[in-house]
Amino acid sequence: MLDRLTLDQLRTLIAVADTGSFSAAGRSLRRVQSAVSQAIQGLESTLGVLLFDRSGKIPVLTDAGRSILDHARKLVSGAEALRAKAESIAADVEPELSLAVDAMFPNPLLMQSLKVLAGEFPDLPVTVFTEGLGGAEQRIRDNTARLGLYSLRPQQDDLASEFLADIAMAPVVASDHPLAKAKPPITRAMLEDQVQLVLTDRTQITARFSGGVISRRVWRFADLGTRLEYLLAGFGWCNMPLHLVEPHIESGRLTRLALAENPGWNLPIHVVHDRNRPPQRAGRMLIEDLRVRLTTCPKHGPVKPR
Amino acid sequence: MLDRLTLDQLRTLIAVADTGSFSAAGRSLRRVQSAVSQAIQGLESTLGVLLFDRSGKIPVLTDAGRSILDHARKLVSGAEALRAKAESIAADVEPELSLAVDAMFPNPLLMQSLKVLAGEFPDLPVTVFTEGLGGAEQRIRDNTARLGLYSLRPQQDDLASEFLADIAMAPVVASDHPLAKAKPPITRAMLEDQVQLVLTDRTQITARFSGGVISRRVWRFADLGTRLEYLLAGFGWCNMPLHLVEPHIESGRLTRLALAENPGWNLPIHVVHDRNRPPQRAGRMLIEDLRVRLTTCPKHGPVKPR
DNA sequence: CTTTATCCATCAGTTTATGTGATGGAGATA
DNA sequence: TATCTCCATCACATAAACTGATGGATAAAG
């Protein structure tokens, strides 16, 4: 016994307060009255405070007792919450879900899935990191996120991954840009002479990774949003996820480049996690829900080859 | 034993997490290692969750363990807070201090005293009810406040009271009011014909108590603040605590009535409490501090006879 | 004014939980 | 390999917690 104050004493106090007498508390707790009596005496002695006024037939809470009782209720319900948490952990639900999501990923879809998740696991704390390029993977590696949604590069030994869906990508440019007015098909040579708007990793870690750079003239941006603004302003061309630029294409501000060799392609999105920390019930449910939405909703689905 | 989950188990868990090993935890808790081992096993079995990965030499917290540990820390520190609360109760400090203060009472002074009180008892919750007329006493009677600061009427059997200080009162009127321009001394007869601004009890309980009403024409108000506005606007005259109207008298907006028979008088303020619930350390300290301030600070002190 | 029922405290004795100390297996460190 | 320290396990000891009987006190019923 490390400390004379025990949860059982507090539970007994609460029972007495709720039932109104020591005997009744004993009945409700399936204990003998003397056990209750001794438990309360023990509590009073460890706290050094008189909790009940025993002068009448039934004991009545003192001011101090009322005050202690309030606190006791908090503690006991906290203990019950602990058990509940343990139970859901035991039922293979992760204690909290942290996601590292590539900025390319269609956010409205993710939000829909998370809404469903929150309905299913109301007490589950969720953290979402939206990162560009290597950022999401970095989150998985340094363990600040547990589940990654991004385009995984060549097989990684320590990370387990699973294909989730394709994001439709296409080269686009502002409609008032020379490339938009050029007669299709656009050749690779034509692109090389124009400015390409490229994403850089905020953390500089993925300097090695600069795939997809075609043009010799390059502007670099740290985030998708800024790049989109420069794209709209006609600074250059770039590949964008269709779901992000479709509204602008429809409104005529952007034009899809009819590239001869590659009019559109798919960015494969994977579910990634540390091999030793596989997703549990909540994570798996989220993945399945996302998969259904991604294959159902045509707007965000893969490009149909034409 | 009502519940298999005990605070001692949580305390042990915390010790293990803090010291890094079962043996070290045992040393820090002055228990043998096997006791720690068994306590953790017991916790794991009641929660149905594996808390430590024992595959290595020293056990390392699992994800679940970390999550449970966070919660455990909250509970244990809550338990310590309970002990601390009990300790201050045992040291004769009331668990919380609730005041019912008459609106006439100089609030800045009370605030100064409460500031000192808060310095002395930083954890003491304080509630202040500012009430007019019978309101403060009502608070004491229905036990929503424990300590009253107001002018007690004739001896009350069940309430204990103690004189605290006199509040200087004086009849005043707006400077553009006929009474202000009348040639002193003002007679009672002159007052009777003018409108008097009177306070009524919000709760109507003190209808019986309407002392101090002189005029035949009366306007009634529920609170001091509103009455003061009507006073300033010249609707009538009334008795006011000097500390509230002094700034206005100095600025010339209000004029003190030079009453022949009663140019100024004192409202005695008492400290009142239920006979069975005397003020404890915090309350007594507050009273003493107030007494010192009231007798020291001339601005709020009693009227000097002239 | 009894009688009866129910309240609580106390106590000796039992049951149960918790802690002890010895032992053995396993990973580090030298 | 020798040695240290780690943890799990066991039989045993110790200390809580609980039981059931008793008696005093209060409140309601006869």
Side-chain angles (χ1 to χ4, degrees):
Chain A
M1 175 134 283
L2 296 167
D3 192 306
R4 300 208 39 217
L5 179 65
T6 72
L7 280 175
D8 273 349
Q9 292 172 326
L10 301 183
R11 287 187 257 260
T12 309
L13 170 64
I14 291 172
V16 173
D18 288 348
T19 59
S21 81
F22 287 22
S23 327
R27 286 190 290 274
S28 90
L29 298 174
R30 318 189 140 272
R31 289 288 115 90
V32 154
Q33 167 265 125
S34 63
V36 176
S37 188
Q38 288 172 99
I40 297 296
Q41 282 174 35
L43 184 58
E44 288 179 325
S45 110
T46 72
L47 296 182
V49 165
L50 191 75
L51 299 174
F52 290 93
D53 173 9
R54 274 99 154 169
S55 61
K57 183 183 182 182
I58 59 162
V60 9
L61 268 175
T62 59
D63 286 351
R66 234 184 314 282
S67 167
I68 298 289
L69 173 66
D70 286 347
H71 206 128
R73 283 193 204 278
K74 283 208 196 84
L75 279 180
V76 170
S77 75
E80 274 157 19
L82 179 63
R83 300 202 74 146
K85 179 186 268 191
E87 207 168 301
S88 75
I89 292 175
D92 191 35
V93 177
E94 41 272 80
E96 83 240 359
L97 185 60
S98 45
L99 297 174
V101 187
D102 193 289
M104 302 280 189
F105 195 88
N107 198 255
L109 243 163
L110 178 62
M111 286 169 67
Q112 284 173 36
S113 281
L114 285 176
K115 195 160 199 172
V116 173
L117 188 82
E120 197 70 24
F121 303 96
D123 293 332
L124 181 75
V126 176
T127 309
V128 180
F129 300 104
T130 305
E131 303 280 357
L133 290 180
E137 183 163 323
Q138 193 58 33
R139 291 279 184 193
I140 301 292
R141 290 206 177 278
D142 66 14
N143 254 318
T144 50
R146 185 149 172 186
L147 209 56
L149 298 174
Y150 59 89
S151 187
L152 188 69
R153 286 161 285 141
Q155 278 316 62
Q156 312 257 345
D157 43 347
D158 49 346
L159 297 184
S161 73
E162 181 186 349
F163 174 78
L164 179 62
D166 277 322
I167 300 281
M169 302 288 290
V172 287
V173 74
S175 299
D176 54 5
H177 188 278
L179 277 177
K181 291 160 187 156
K183 201 165 60 187
I186 311 274
T187 64
R188 186 180 179 98
M190 291 165 74
L191 286 183
E192 284 179 2
D193 291 331
Q194 297 294 335
V195 170
Q196 181 175 355
L197 310 177
V198 177
L199 288 179
T200 330
D201 194 332
R202 231 171 289 206
T203 57
Q204 290 180 283
I205 291 174
T206 18
R208 48 188 168 127
F209 174 66
S210 38
V213 178
I214 292 172
S215 305
R216 283 186 298 258
R217 296 160 63 197
V218 160
W219 285 40
R220 297 189 182 275
F221 299 89
D223 67 297
L224 260 181
T226 312
R227 181 170 76 159
L228 181 57
E229 291 188 36
Y230 280 79
L231 176 67
L232 288 168
F235 279 80
W237 73 276
C238 65
N239 287 305
M240 284 290 277
L242 266 182
H243 67 89
L244 275 185
V245 294
E246 218 145 43
H248 294 115
I249 292 175
E250 274 164 26
S251 76
R253 294 187 67 188
L254 291 182
T255 300
R256 200 164 152 180
L257 292 177
L259 264 190
E261 52 180 292
N262 189 10
W265 48 286
N266 289 327
L267 180 73
I269 295 285
H270 298 92
V271 179
V272 187
H273 60 84
D274 189 296
R275 212 169 272 290
N276 302 318
R277 308 173 81 213
Q280 296 174 280
R281 270 195 36 219
R284 288 197 301 268
M285 189 198 123
L286 179 72
I287 295 166
E288 281 322 300
D289 193 87
L290 276 175
R291 195 189 300 284
V292 169
R293 283 179 204 282
L294 279 163
T295 51
T296 307
C297 176
K299 190 174 169 195
H300 304 106
V303 188
K304 307 272 183 302
R306 324 178 247 190
Chain B
M1 174 134 284
L2 296 167
D3 191 305
R4 300 208 40 216
L5 179 65
T6 72
L7 280 175
D8 273 350
Q9 292 171 327
L10 301 183
R11 286 187 258 260
T12 309
L13 170 63
I14 291 171
V16 173
D18 286 348
T19 59
S21 80
F22 286 22
S23 326
R27 286 191 290 274
S28 89
L29 298 174
R30 317 188 145 273
R31 292 286 114 92
V32 294
Q33 167 264 127
S34 63
V36 176
S37 190
Q38 289 172 103
I40 298 295
Q41 282 173 34
L43 184 58
E44 287 179 325
S45 109
T46 70
L47 295 183
V49 166
L50 191 75
L51 299 174
F52 290 93
D53 173 10
R54 275 100 153 169
S55 60
K57 184 183 182 183
I58 59 159
V60 7
L61 267 175
T62 60
D63 286 349
R66 235 185 314 283
S67 168
I68 297 290
L69 173 65
D70 286 347
H71 206 127
R73 283 192 203 279
K74 284 208 196 83
L75 280 179
V76 170
S77 73
E80 274 157 19
L82 178 64
R83 300 203 74 145
K85 180 187 267 192
E87 207 168 300
S88 72
I89 293 175
D92 189 36
V93 178
E94 40 272 82
E96 82 241 2
L97 185 60
S98 45
L99 297 174
V101 187
D102 193 288
M104 301 281 188
F105 196 88
N107 197 255
L109 243 163
L110 178 62
M111 287 170 66
Q112 285 172 37
S113 281
L114 286 176
K115 195 160 200 171
V116 173
L117 188 82
E120 197 71 24
F121 304 97
D123 293 332
L124 181 75
V126 175
T127 310
V128 180
F129 300 105
T130 305
E131 303 280 357
L133 290 179
E137 183 162 323
Q138 192 58 33
R139 291 278 183 194
I140 302 292
R141 291 207 177 277
D142 67 13
N143 253 318
T144 50
R146 186 148 173 186
L147 209 56
L149 298 174
Y150 59 89
S151 188
L152 188 69
R153 287 162 282 142
Q155 279 317 62
Q156 313 259 343
D157 42 347
D158 50 346
L159 297 183
S161 71
E162 181 186 349
F163 173 78
L164 179 61
D166 277 324
I167 300 282
M169 302 288 291
V172 287
V173 74
S175 299
D176 54 5
H177 188 278
L179 277 177
K181 291 159 187 155
K183 202 166 58 188
I186 310 274
T187 63
R188 188 181 179 95
M190 292 165 73
L191 286 183
E192 284 177 0
D193 291 333
Q194 297 294 334
V195 170
Q196 180 175 357
L197 309 178
V198 176
L199 287 178
T200 330
D201 194 334
R202 231 171 289 207
T203 56
Q204 289 179 285
I205 291 174
T206 18
R208 47 188 167 129
F209 174 64
S210 40
V213 177
I214 291 171
S215 305
R216 284 186 297 258
R217 297 161 61 197
V218 161
W219 285 41
R220 297 189 181 274
F221 299 89
D223 65 298
L224 259 182
T226 312
R227 179 170 76 158
L228 180 57
E229 290 188 37
Y230 280 80
L231 177 66
L232 287 169
F235 279 80
W237 74 276
C238 64
N239 286 306
M240 284 291 277
L242 265 183
H243 66 88
L244 275 185
V245 294
E246 217 144 46
H248 294 114
I249 292 175
E250 274 164 26
S251 77
R253 294 187 67 187
L254 291 181
T255 300
R256 203 164 150 178
L257 292 178
L259 265 190
E261 52 180 291
N262 188 10
W265 47 288
N266 290 330
L267 180 72
I269 295 286
H270 299 91
V271 179
V272 187
H273 59 85
D274 189 297
R275 213 169 272 289
N276 302 318
R277 307 172 81 213
Q280 296 174 283
R281 270 194 37 218
R284 288 198 300 269
M285 190 196 124
L286 180 71
I287 295 166
E288 279 324 299
D289 193 87
L290 276 175
R291 194 188 300 283
V292 169
R293 282 179 205 282
L294 279 163
T295 51
T296 308
C297 176
K299 190 175 170 194
H300 304 107
V303 188
K304 306 271 182 305
R306 328 176 247 191

